mmCIF file of all heavy atoms in Angstrom:
data_model
loop_
_atom_site.group_PDB
_atom_site.id
_atom_site.type_symbol
_atom_site.label_atom_id
_atom_site.label_comp_id
_atom_site.label_asym_id
_atom_site.label_seq_id
_atom_site.Cartn_x
_atom_site.Cartn_y
_atom_site.Cartn_z
ATOM 1 N N GLU A 113 -12.319 19.225 -2.538
ATOM 2 C CA GLU A 113 -13.151 20.110 -3.351
ATOM 3 C C GLU A 113 -14.549 20.247 -2.740
ATOM 4 O O GLU A 113 -15.086 21.348 -2.624
ATOM 5 C CB GLU A 113 -13.248 19.576 -4.782
ATOM 6 C CG GLU A 113 -14.033 20.485 -5.707
ATOM 7 C CD GLU A 113 -14.151 19.908 -7.110
ATOM 8 O OE1 GLU A 113 -14.740 18.815 -7.268
ATOM 9 O OE2 GLU A 113 -13.662 20.545 -8.044
ATOM 10 N N PHE A 114 -15.117 19.112 -2.329
ATOM 11 C CA PHE A 114 -16.443 19.123 -1.711
ATOM 12 C C PHE A 114 -16.440 19.977 -0.434
ATOM 13 O O PHE A 114 -17.322 20.795 -0.212
ATOM 14 C CB PHE A 114 -16.897 17.693 -1.381
ATOM 15 C CG PHE A 114 -18.120 17.644 -0.511
ATOM 16 C CD1 PHE A 114 -19.382 17.834 -1.049
ATOM 17 C CD2 PHE A 114 -18.014 17.428 0.861
ATOM 18 C CE1 PHE A 114 -20.520 17.812 -0.247
ATOM 19 C CE2 PHE A 114 -19.141 17.408 1.672
ATOM 20 C CZ PHE A 114 -20.398 17.600 1.120
ATOM 21 N N ILE A 115 -15.398 19.765 0.394
ATOM 22 C CA ILE A 115 -15.315 20.486 1.667
ATOM 23 C C ILE A 115 -15.157 21.994 1.432
ATOM 24 O O ILE A 115 -15.834 22.805 2.068
ATOM 25 C CB ILE A 115 -14.165 19.929 2.533
ATOM 26 C CG1 ILE A 115 -14.538 18.524 3.039
ATOM 27 C CG2 ILE A 115 -13.845 20.854 3.702
ATOM 28 C CD1 ILE A 115 -13.386 17.743 3.649
ATOM 29 N N VAL A 116 -14.285 22.366 0.485
ATOM 30 C CA VAL A 116 -14.073 23.796 0.194
ATOM 31 C C VAL A 116 -15.358 24.425 -0.339
ATOM 32 O O VAL A 116 -15.833 25.444 0.177
ATOM 33 C CB VAL A 116 -12.913 23.995 -0.823
ATOM 34 C CG1 VAL A 116 -12.863 25.433 -1.312
ATOM 35 C CG2 VAL A 116 -11.585 23.598 -0.191
ATOM 36 N N LEU A 117 -15.972 23.792 -1.344
ATOM 37 C CA LEU A 117 -17.172 24.357 -1.971
ATOM 38 C C LEU A 117 -18.313 24.481 -0.958
ATOM 39 O O LEU A 117 -18.958 25.529 -0.850
ATOM 40 C CB LEU A 117 -17.614 23.486 -3.152
ATOM 41 C CG LEU A 117 -18.918 23.930 -3.839
ATOM 42 C CD1 LEU A 117 -18.756 25.309 -4.465
ATOM 43 C CD2 LEU A 117 -19.351 22.925 -4.901
ATOM 44 N N THR A 118 -18.562 23.404 -0.197
ATOM 45 C CA THR A 118 -19.672 23.417 0.744
ATOM 46 C C THR A 118 -19.431 24.429 1.874
ATOM 47 O O THR A 118 -20.364 25.096 2.323
ATOM 48 C CB THR A 118 -19.920 22.003 1.305
ATOM 49 O OG1 THR A 118 -19.940 21.097 0.206
ATOM 50 C CG2 THR A 118 -21.242 21.906 2.032
ATOM 51 N N SER A 119 -18.169 24.554 2.308
ATOM 52 C CA SER A 119 -17.837 25.548 3.336
ATOM 53 C C SER A 119 -18.106 26.966 2.838
ATOM 54 O O SER A 119 -18.645 27.806 3.569
ATOM 55 C CB SER A 119 -16.365 25.420 3.748
ATOM 56 O OG SER A 119 -16.129 24.161 4.331
ATOM 57 N N LEU A 120 -17.720 27.242 1.575
ATOM 58 C CA LEU A 120 -17.962 28.568 1.004
ATOM 59 C C LEU A 120 -19.461 28.845 0.943
ATOM 60 O O LEU A 120 -19.921 29.946 1.278
ATOM 61 C CB LEU A 120 -17.365 28.665 -0.408
ATOM 62 C CG LEU A 120 -15.841 28.575 -0.526
ATOM 63 C CD1 LEU A 120 -15.424 28.542 -1.986
ATOM 64 C CD2 LEU A 120 -15.178 29.739 0.184
ATOM 65 N N MET A 121 -20.232 27.829 0.545
ATOM 66 C CA MET A 121 -21.686 27.992 0.441
ATOM 67 C C MET A 121 -22.297 28.231 1.824
ATOM 68 O O MET A 121 -23.243 28.993 1.973
ATOM 69 C CB MET A 121 -22.317 26.751 -0.225
ATOM 70 C CG MET A 121 -21.957 26.605 -1.685
ATOM 71 S SD MET A 121 -22.465 28.040 -2.669
ATOM 72 C CE MET A 121 -20.967 28.348 -3.599
ATOM 73 N N LEU A 122 -21.738 27.567 2.829
ATOM 74 C CA LEU A 122 -22.209 27.746 4.210
ATOM 75 C C LEU A 122 -22.004 29.200 4.665
ATOM 76 O O LEU A 122 -22.909 29.834 5.210
ATOM 77 C CB LEU A 122 -21.453 26.795 5.133
ATOM 78 C CG LEU A 122 -21.762 26.894 6.621
ATOM 79 C CD1 LEU A 122 -22.962 26.029 6.972
ATOM 80 C CD2 LEU A 122 -20.569 26.466 7.457
ATOM 81 N N ILE A 123 -20.812 29.735 4.410
ATOM 82 C CA ILE A 123 -20.516 31.121 4.804
ATOM 83 C C ILE A 123 -21.456 32.081 4.066
ATOM 84 O O ILE A 123 -22.063 32.967 4.674
ATOM 85 C CB ILE A 123 -19.037 31.470 4.524
ATOM 86 C CG1 ILE A 123 -18.119 30.614 5.402
ATOM 87 C CG2 ILE A 123 -18.769 32.959 4.763
ATOM 88 C CD1 ILE A 123 -16.649 30.695 5.042
ATOM 89 N N LEU A 124 -21.607 31.872 2.748
ATOM 90 C CA LEU A 124 -22.469 32.759 1.954
ATOM 91 C C LEU A 124 -23.926 32.662 2.407
ATOM 92 O O LEU A 124 -24.646 33.661 2.461
ATOM 93 C CB LEU A 124 -22.350 32.418 0.461
ATOM 94 C CG LEU A 124 -20.997 32.746 -0.179
ATOM 95 C CD1 LEU A 124 -20.939 32.215 -1.611
ATOM 96 C CD2 LEU A 124 -20.742 34.250 -0.172
ATOM 97 N N PHE A 125 -24.362 31.439 2.743
ATOM 98 C CA PHE A 125 -25.736 31.238 3.212
ATOM 99 C C PHE A 125 -26.011 32.140 4.415
ATOM 100 O O PHE A 125 -27.015 32.846 4.464
ATOM 101 C CB PHE A 125 -25.952 29.769 3.597
ATOM 102 C CG PHE A 125 -27.347 29.451 4.080
ATOM 103 C CD1 PHE A 125 -28.302 28.962 3.204
ATOM 104 C CD2 PHE A 125 -27.711 29.662 5.410
ATOM 105 C CE1 PHE A 125 -29.591 28.680 3.643
ATOM 106 C CE2 PHE A 125 -29.002 29.389 5.850
ATOM 107 C CZ PHE A 125 -29.948 28.897 4.968
ATOM 108 N N PHE A 126 -25.095 32.134 5.382
ATOM 109 C CA PHE A 126 -25.351 32.873 6.617
ATOM 110 C C PHE A 126 -25.139 34.379 6.474
ATOM 111 O O PHE A 126 -25.874 35.160 7.072
ATOM 112 C CB PHE A 126 -24.531 32.298 7.775
ATOM 113 C CG PHE A 126 -25.140 31.032 8.318
ATOM 114 C CD1 PHE A 126 -24.644 29.790 7.950
ATOM 115 C CD2 PHE A 126 -26.237 31.085 9.157
ATOM 116 C CE1 PHE A 126 -25.236 28.618 8.430
ATOM 117 C CE2 PHE A 126 -26.833 29.927 9.641
ATOM 118 C CZ PHE A 126 -26.323 28.686 9.273
#
Side-chain angles (χ1 to χ4, degrees):
E113 183 182 62
F114 169 79
I115 289 167
V116 170
L117 176 63
T118 312
S119 297
L120 295 174
M121 292 301 133
L122 177 86
I123 295 170
L124 291 173
F125 181 95
F126 282 100

